Amino acid sequence: MCEATAYLLKNGQEELILKDVDVIEPDGDSVRIVNIFGEQKVLKAEIHSLNLINHKVILVEK
Amino acid sequence: MCEATAYLLKNGQEELILKDVDVIEPDGDSVRIVNIFGEQKVLKAEIHSLNLINHKVILVEK
């Protein structure tokens, strides 16, 4: 499966936010992430980078 | 494989930009996308949404 794990970059550390992420939607100062189980998180953050082969979404606080 | 296809949303149409995308990195007013073959594109755009299960990256002009 191709879902990813989302991390929040905070003081140089990657903090796990949500596993099995399917949808990622930036919205103004926030990013909404939804996983394959319908679990949703909205963070005051922006996308730092995505690496799909490594299944990794890195967000950074805004 | 888990790479995605990147589209640019333009006048309500999705324009194909790059297939087999691995890395996506917003950088100010631009987004850099790199595919598994090392092909790279930098667009004056922002991320509209990602759907990893559907392997779809939607960018929108900035």
Side-chain angles (χ1 to χ4, degrees):
Chain A
M1 294 290 282
C2 289
E3 55 275 16
T5 303
Y7 300 88
L8 183 66
L9 194 60
K10 216 170 165 175
N11 303 322
Q13 303 285 321
E14 293 174 358
E15 184 183 299
L16 175 65
I17 300 295
L18 192 62
K19 289 183 177 183
D20 305 308
V21 171
D22 174 19
V23 172
I24 303 152
E25 288 180 347
D27 181 17
D29 278 353
S30 302
V31 178
R32 188 172 76 98
I33 53 179
V34 187
N35 74 8
I36 54 170
F37 307 108
E39 195 182 346
Q40 174 178 306
K41 295 205 178 181
V42 178
L43 291 99
K44 195 169 161 62
E46 59 189 359
I47 295 170
H48 174 270
S49 61
L50 292 109
N51 189 305
L52 302 182
I53 303 301
N54 291 343
H55 305 264
K56 209 164 176 179
V57 178
I58 310 286
L59 306 175
V60 64
E61 284 191 314
K62 208 162 180 172
Chain B
M1 294 292 282
C2 290
E3 55 275 15
T5 303
Y7 300 88
L8 184 65
L9 194 62
K10 215 169 164 174
N11 303 321
Q13 303 284 320
E14 292 176 359
E15 183 184 297
L16 175 63
I17 300 295
L18 192 62
K19 290 183 177 181
D20 304 308
V21 170
D22 173 19
V23 173
I24 304 152
E25 287 180 346
D27 182 17
D29 278 354
S30 303
V31 178
R32 188 172 78 98
I33 53 178
V34 186
N35 75 8
I36 54 170
F37 307 110
E39 195 182 344
Q40 174 177 307
K41 295 204 178 181
V42 178
L43 292 98
K44 194 171 162 58
E46 59 189 357
I47 295 169
H48 175 271
S49 61
L50 292 109
N51 190 307
L52 302 183
I53 304 300
N54 291 342
H55 304 263
K56 210 164 175 180
V57 178
I58 309 287
L59 306 175
V60 63
E61 284 191 316
K62 205 160 185 173

